[in-house]
Amino acid sequence: MNIKRNILLNPGPATTTDTVKMAQVVPDICPREKEFADMMKGLREDLVRVAHGDPQRHTAVLFTGSGTINIDVCLNSLLPEGKKILVVNNGAYSSRAAEVCRYYGMPHIDLKSSVFDVPDLTAVEKALDENPDIALVYTTHHETGTGVLNPIREIGAMAHAHGAIFVVDTTSSLGMIPFDMVKDNVDFCMASAQKGLMAMTGLSFVIGDRKIIKQSAEYPKRSYYCNLFLQYDYFEKTGQMHFTPPVQTIYSTIQALKEYWEEGEEAKFRRHREVFEAIHEGLDELGFKDVIRREIQSGLVVSVKYPDDKNWDFDRIHDYCYDNGFTIYPGKISTTDTFRLCSLGAIVPEDIKAFFRTLRKALEENGISIPVTYNR
């Protein structure tokens, strides 16, 4: 089958290989068959390996849904009665966690800081010192809206020193940059198949400490479908999801993980970094500015400031690139107009060079000066 290859420079879903796409074309199967349960068991074990968890201590729990389901699951399931959540918030996706807390009416502190920088660790420690009832500390590893990489190891150490568990959203970092649950002081992390694993949408997963999951059985029940212990317990008893799994996505994820191990973690990390560097080279050549200091960027997402050119129109630039096989994506910074270029997916530096040739043509056709200009 001849499948058109698009280069997705958005922050997920990511560009996939044809073999991952075709892995979905399989004989129909009832997901309650033992054969399918055995496949999910191997998948769960592999996911713990990706996070560098301890197979005796950690487990992966699968859910059907987008990455936001993981935020919901962890927050509503892991907060004991009478305790509080600390959300270390420097971006759109930690803000989403705070929104989940508000929706459920869960006691929490929304510790906001600048979206352009890493969190203030002094403020984190102060919040923990002043609120001994904090039982769960939450933040993102990589703020996808900006490209900031957060100091999770330090935050996790603070959480543990104050008797709290540490939950980290690794949706747009797991499998693309180095991460180690044990060394990074993380009790629970989360991701989705369509990001770092370069599979298809519809499968999300939480990787965490079995002992804490079992303890959470006694915590207040805030959701039925999104309860972590309920899903974990059903897996342990039956080998199956409590509710219907995304069958074809699971097949594609198993294939994607096979390719993950074949490429090798270090080689994969290096490839994403090389793509990221190629993005910066292309931006510099055209005169674009990124809005996050490069020393705190993740190596996965670049937030690019709109140029101050009367002819600049993001939608027109997007459409030109899209028509030529490249997808770019709007930013998520409310105070600054930006777009994002990402190094996720099955892409290489040569793809980025081809993109910038297309972007240059888009600028020329729209009468935008090169190099692009900024008033300040």
Side-chain angles (χ1 to χ4, degrees):
M1 183 181 296
N2 185 22
I3 304 173
K4 181 178 181 288
R5 183 169 183 263
N6 290 323
I7 305 301
L8 304 185
L9 300 176
N10 54 289
T15 300
T16 58
T17 63
D18 286 354
T19 43
V20 165
K21 295 181 184 72
M22 295 305 297
Q24 299 175 99
V25 183
V26 291
D28 294 327
I29 188 171
C30 172
R32 301 306 180 190
E33 295 293 338
K34 182 179 182 303
E35 174 188 344
F36 198 77
D38 289 344
M39 290 170 55
M40 285 198 291
K41 180 177 183 295
L43 170 58
R44 293 173 66 203
E45 291 169 351
D46 262 354
L47 292 173
V48 172
R49 288 176 61 201
V50 171
H52 292 266
D54 177 349
Q56 301 305 313
R57 174 183 168 191
H58 298 113
T59 188
V61 184
L62 311 180
F63 290 89
T64 301
S66 69
T68 300
I69 199 172
N70 293 326
I71 303 174
D72 189 324
V73 166
C74 286
L75 292 175
N76 89 70
S77 301
L78 295 172
L79 182 66
E81 183 72 47
K83 297 295 184 179
K84 189 183 295 178
I85 295 170
L86 173 63
V87 179
V88 181
N89 179 358
N90 66 328
Y93 292 92
S94 289
S95 292
R96 187 170 296 177
E99 187 176 354
V100 170
C101 291
R102 289 193 294 272
Y103 188 86
Y104 281 111
M106 294 185 292
H108 69 286
I109 297 169
D110 185 2
L111 187 64
K112 292 184 178 180
S113 60
S114 171
V115 301
F116 299 103
D117 213 334
V118 295
D120 180 350
L121 296 179
T122 303
V124 175
E125 186 145 37
K126 184 173 184 288
L128 288 163
D129 287 340
E130 294 177 352
N131 296 273
D133 56 345
I134 291 173
L136 189 159
V137 177
Y138 182 100
T139 197
T140 54
H141 185 202
H142 166 224
E143 261 297 347
T144 325
T146 58
V148 172
L149 188 67
N150 283 335
I152 57 170
R153 186 171 297 188
E154 293 82 355
I155 296 171
M158 290 179 186
H160 291 163
H162 288 79
I165 67 168
F166 188 37
V167 179
V168 179
D169 181 346
T170 55
T171 301
S172 62
S173 59
L174 188 67
M176 291 176 284
I177 57 177
F179 173 78
D180 186 304
M181 288 193 73
V182 178
K183 293 179 181 177
D184 288 324
N185 301 310
V186 174
D187 298 297
F188 290 87
C189 69
M190 62 187 78
S192 297
Q194 78 274 14
K195 299 269 191 174
L197 301 184
M198 307 186 313
M200 314 307 288
T201 58
L203 176 68
S204 292
F205 48 90
V206 174
I207 304 168
D209 192 304
R210 294 174 188 269
K211 182 179 178 181
I212 299 172
I213 296 174
K214 292 175 182 177
Q215 289 172 350
S216 75
E218 306 302 320
Y219 297 171
K221 304 299 185 292
R222 302 177 178 92
S223 177
Y224 179 63
Y225 189 87
C226 294
N227 183 268
L228 183 59
F229 174 77
L230 193 64
Q231 187 82 319
Y232 163 80
D233 191 52
Y234 204 83
F235 264 121
E236 295 302 298
K237 288 177 178 176
T238 69
Q240 302 170 359
M241 276 193 184
H242 195 190
F243 307 104
T244 307
V247 175
Q248 281 70 31
T249 300
I250 286 173
Y251 278 107
S252 76
T253 305
I254 290 169
Q255 174 62 29
L257 276 165
K258 178 182 177 183
E259 295 176 16
Y260 181 95
W261 302 121
E262 287 175 349
E263 182 173 9
E265 280 193 326
E266 293 303 320
K268 189 173 189 293
F269 298 161
R270 186 166 55 252
R271 175 172 59 78
H272 288 298
R273 171 56 68 170
E274 289 169 352
V275 170
F276 177 76
E277 290 170 353
I279 290 172
H280 272 309
E281 289 171 8
L283 291 171
D284 290 346
E285 185 175 325
L286 292 178
F288 282 99
K289 293 182 178 180
D290 41 351
V291 298
I292 303 298
R293 288 183 291 119
R294 293 194 178 183
E295 62 266 28
I296 63 169
Q297 290 183 22
S298 61
L300 299 171
V301 172
V302 183
S303 290
V304 186
K305 187 178 179 182
Y306 285 6
D308 297 318
D309 189 305
K310 62 182 178 61
N311 292 325
W312 172 265
D313 183 298
F314 174 77
D315 289 337
R316 288 206 303 267
I317 298 299
H318 166 276
D319 292 350
Y320 184 96
C321 294
Y322 183 81
D323 289 343
N324 286 276
F326 299 95
T327 298
I328 60 177
Y329 205 64
K332 265 191 175 290
I333 303 174
S334 59
T335 59
T336 307
D337 289 329
T338 61
F339 65 97
R340 286 175 284 174
L341 300 177
C342 308
S343 61
L344 286 64
I347 58 177
V348 294
E350 287 71 22
D351 294 320
I352 302 304
K353 292 174 184 176
F355 161 70
F356 276 105
R357 289 194 292 271
T358 296
L359 179 57
R360 177 180 285 273
K361 291 177 182 176
L363 298 174
E364 290 170 347
E365 293 211 2
N366 282 277
I368 299 166
S369 62
I370 301 173
V372 298
T373 57
Y374 293 92
N375 295 332
R376 57 183 176 87

